[in-house]
Amino acid sequence: MSRVYLDHNATTPVHPEVLEAMLPFLTDGFGNPSSTHWAGLEVAPHVDRARASVARLIGAKPEEIIFTGGGSEGDNMAIKGVLMRAGKGAHCVTSEVEHPAIYSTCKMLEGYGFEFTYVPVDKYGIVSPVEVQKAMRPETALVSIMFANNETGAINSIVEISEIVRQYGALMHTDAVQCVGKIPVNVNSLGVDMLTSSGHKFNAPKGVGFQYVREGVETVPLISGGSQEFGVRAGTENVPGIVGIGAACKVAMREMRKRHDELGAMRDRLERGILEAVPGVVVNGHAERRVYNTLNMSFPGIEGEALMTLLNQEGIAVSTGSACASDSGKPSRILGAMGLDAVRSRGTLRISLGYGNSEQDIDYVLEKLPPLANRLIEMSPLGS
Ligand SMILES: *Cc1c(COP(=O)(O)O)cnc(C)c1O
């Protein structure tokens, strides 16, 4: 049976160059980078080099890069680190479509004396800068708006939002987990103070990420203890992971253009093919303002879950939404915020492309998916 992986927004395979870069640090290069003997002295420069590669990819200074345990940690670091520093009563503006690492963290902190405003999105899943402006208060310490959405690929106007946030003297954080390594990300042109990235979403391993923290921005450490990572993130460094994410940044820099063109063309061909072969299908999100690798579609009157299961039997891995929410069985909060009704929401499939996908993968999906979808639609009491 063919195996086709089209769930790159959930996680990605490790790139061979990344693996190769990491391997020495799982064998001889085991030293603790804080040690001042040979074992530590040998590995410490590799952590510095990885930091420089990360910084180069996003236009930051190496001292502004903090290695973390991934996207969820970075998101928590931004929200908790800034609000705890600002103190009780501090206000934070975020959106209704954030990843649970932001959204659930904010909901939880409502019980600890902090205040939150969740700005709505339009029917494309995009946050309006005007809505952010309306939500700003004198005591707003932080605005956290994701760069691109993990379910729809919708891209927000971070430049415009950062501009507003600066006028109010608050800090601007963006969850750029779905952007780093895929589309150009430059912290200076974006105007953000903090930015979160996760290695496993762009061909580095799981359990490593980085946080951009603009020079001069002070936060309370999420993980306190030792003085690693400029005293902002304690704990012995995950050297293999850090070297891996550094290598992934180099690969991304080199291949970004090519991937954009090739994978984007494949995504568009897949979208056209499905729209032609399955009557009643609609694409969720904006036609242009979305990441080139993501396709979110609703099939009329059926359960996305059922289609996903049938596709899995053919070796095709896709998702019904975010991997983190799809086991809860509830319709997507993101699609709900976009105004989709529960039926359309439930009939949703998220297909996300990435490194390793080929034209043959698209051919295979275009052969298997339409008959399966059409059969489910025919059987559905709600079908068109
Ligand atoms: C995957 C993801 C995260 C969480 O990253 P982890 O490294 O898995 O903790 C956060 N935000 C977005 C938008 C994501 O897609």
Side-chain angles (χ1 to χ4, degrees):
M1 182 176 72
S2 301
R3 281 185 146 213
V4 174
Y5 184 78
L6 289 169
D7 199 13
H8 288 83
N9 286 9
T11 196
T12 62
V14 170
H15 192 281
E17 270 179 54
V18 171
L19 176 65
E20 200 188 338
M22 290 174 68
L23 283 175
F25 301 94
L26 292 161
T27 52
D28 292 343
F30 63 87
N32 184 326
S34 300
S35 301
T36 50
H37 49 59
W38 58 265
L41 294 171
E42 255 171 31
V43 303
H46 294 275
V47 171
D48 295 339
R49 233 167 278 163
R51 203 184 303 282
S53 301
V54 170
R56 212 172 308 127
L57 181 68
I58 62 164
K61 298 176 191 158
E63 320 78 86
E64 295 175 317
I65 304 299
I66 314 295
F67 288 114
T68 65
S72 298
E73 182 185 325
D75 284 339
N76 271 266
M77 185 187 236
I79 302 286
K80 293 176 182 165
V82 172
L83 293 185
M84 281 170 69
R85 171 131 186 133
K88 258 206 166 95
H91 175 240
C92 171
V93 176
T94 184
S95 84
E96 287 181 347
V97 297
E98 298 297 310
H99 186 275
I102 293 285
Y103 192 78
S104 303
T105 300
C106 292
K107 288 285 170 192
M108 186 193 88
L109 289 178
E110 285 178 3
Y112 291 85
F114 299 106
E115 295 199 30
F116 296 87
T117 304
Y118 304 87
V119 298
V121 292
D122 64 15
K123 62 179 176 178
Y124 302 115
I126 294 172
V127 174
S128 153
V130 175
E131 293 293 337
V132 173
Q133 178 137 30
K134 285 201 296 204
M136 297 302 288
R137 301 184 197 164
E139 67 275 22
T140 305
L142 178 69
V143 174
S144 183
I145 303 290
M146 72 200 316
F147 196 166
N149 185 269
N150 43 299
E151 289 192 28
T152 61
I155 299 175
N156 287 313
S157 315
I158 300 302
V159 177
E160 272 178 78
I161 295 170
S162 296
E163 181 59 38
I164 292 163
V165 174
R166 197 170 320 117
Q167 285 164 13
Y168 284 81
L171 292 175
M172 174 69 192
H173 167 252
T174 189
D175 173 341
V177 171
Q178 291 295 342
C179 295
V180 171
K182 289 184 194 161
I183 64 175
V185 172
N186 182 295
V187 290
N188 295 309
S189 39
L190 288 173
V192 295
D193 299 294
M194 295 178 99
L195 177 145
T196 296
S197 169
S198 172
H200 76 99
K201 301 291 175 84
F202 72 109
N203 311 112
K206 291 157 190 64
V208 66
F210 70 82
Q211 189 79 347
Y212 161 75
V213 183
R214 184 178 295 285
E215 205 171 18
V217 169
E218 303 221 337
T219 63
V220 172
L222 183 66
I223 300 179
S224 51
S227 61
Q228 293 92 349
E229 298 300 300
F230 315 107
V232 177
R233 203 280 190 179
T236 301
E237 295 87 341
N238 169 7
V239 179
I242 288 170
V243 169
I245 202 170
C249 287
K250 281 193 187 168
V251 172
M253 197 119 84
R254 193 181 67 220
E255 312 225 315
M256 195 177 288
R257 182 78 245 170
K258 182 167 158 265
R259 286 201 199 163
H260 173 280
D261 294 348
E262 293 178 1
L263 295 171
M266 285 186 218
R267 192 275 312 265
D268 292 346
R269 182 161 79 88
L270 186 60
E271 176 177 312
R272 274 195 312 273
I274 295 173
L275 286 172
E276 278 165 20
V278 187
V281 173
V282 282
V283 175
N284 299 316
H286 199 279
E288 279 102 43
R289 280 183 57 182
R290 61 180 165 156
V291 184
Y292 62 81
N293 81 314
T294 306
L295 176 56
N296 188 305
M297 305 181 115
S298 292
F299 294 79
I302 69 172
E303 298 284 341
E305 197 71 31
L307 183 53
M308 194 210 90
T309 305
L310 292 177
L311 290 169
N312 182 49
Q313 286 168 4
E314 301 293 343
I316 300 168
V318 297
S319 152
T320 52
S322 93
C324 325
S326 55
D327 51 8
S328 67
K330 284 189 227 135
S332 152
R333 163 169 55 83
I334 281 78
L335 299 177
M338 289 161 63
L340 269 66
D341 60 47
V343 172
R344 183 162 158 193
S345 243
R346 271 204 300 275
T348 296
L349 218 56
R350 179 189 71 181
I351 303 177
S352 49
L353 288 72
Y355 167 71
N357 284 137
S358 65
E359 295 288 353
Q360 289 90 293
D361 293 344
I362 305 305
D363 294 338
Y364 185 68
V365 177
L366 285 176
E367 175 197 325
K368 296 292 176 187
L369 186 148
L372 291 174
N374 283 325
R375 186 146 49 84
L376 285 175
I377 293 168
E378 272 167 38
M379 292 182 335
S380 160
L382 297 165
S384 48

